[in-house]
Amino acid sequence: MQQPAAATEHPATISVIIPTFNQAQYLADAIRSALTQTLRAHEIIVVDDGSTDATADVAKGFHELVRYIHQPNQGLAGARNAGIAAADGAFIALLDSDDIWRPDHLALLATAAASWPEAVAWIGSGACIDAAGRALPQGPGHAASSATWIDRRQLLRANAIIPSAALLHRQRL
């Protein structure tokens, strides 16, 4: 499988981290959504957190386009941290294995990072969908559907950040 020709390079390198545990049925869609970004990621790292399903086969099926790391089960935070430790991009984009990105997700976040370079993280919006791709009602705690500032007071009241919508400055983690 080759990287789509339409993707463009960007001077800021973004490492995509996909933690997964027994999510083989969704993983390929998540990986494809990372591979088909209009802004090409520097690398895509799948961290298999001790899966017992076909997760390894799915990830390895993308060959050199995806770096596959297997570890004993340490939980979601442990898998994310392992991916961050293995990454060498200047920025980290998190993508849960049961989530997908729109094609311009990384480009929009990179634009936000260039516009507000003093920030530590840039957060996009998200929408909840079911396994068939149908929209689900938004509940409390989900990200806003339009650009907005989130300050510390808002985060203390309710965490509105969807991890798969975040771009993090690696050195500031």
Side-chain angles (χ1 to χ4, degrees):
M1 176 178 250
Q2 290 194 347
Q3 182 76 18
T8 58
E9 297 295 339
H10 190 272
T13 57
I14 299 174
S15 296
V16 176
I17 310 299
I18 306 176
T20 187
F21 176 71
N22 288 339
Q23 295 288 314
Q25 72 270 29
Y26 303 116
L27 181 59
D29 288 338
I31 292 171
R32 276 192 291 275
S33 78
L35 287 170
T36 57
Q37 291 296 298
T38 57
L39 175 64
R40 181 175 293 151
H42 169 65
E43 61 185 343
I44 299 171
I45 302 171
V46 172
V47 181
D48 181 349
D49 197 40
S51 296
T52 57
D53 65 359
T55 292
D57 295 333
V58 171
K60 290 176 181 178
F62 286 90
H63 308 288
E64 72 281 350
L65 297 176
V66 172
R67 184 168 12 147
Y68 174 76
I69 298 172
H70 182 270
Q71 68 180 25
N73 186 268
Q74 297 177 34
L76 182 57
R80 283 186 182 139
N81 288 338
I84 291 167
D88 62 7
F91 296 88
I92 302 293
L94 303 172
L95 175 58
D96 288 345
S97 59
D98 61 347
D99 290 346
I100 56 173
W101 285 337
R102 291 185 175 137
D104 60 350
H105 177 74
L106 291 180
L108 291 170
L109 289 174
T111 298
S115 298
W116 295 283
E118 68 282 2
V120 174
W122 302 267
I123 312 299
S125 63
C128 295
I129 59 172
D130 65 15
R134 293 181 298 251
L136 296 172
Q138 298 292 88
H142 288 84
S145 60
S146 62
T148 176
W149 284 97
I150 298 174
D151 68 22
R152 286 178 280 185
R153 291 181 307 261
Q154 289 172 299
L155 288 174
L156 290 173
R157 281 191 299 262
N159 183 358
I161 297 173
I162 299 169
S164 290
L167 179 68
L168 310 166
H169 192 285
R170 187 167 176 260
Q171 292 300 324
R172 297 179 194 161
L173 286 175

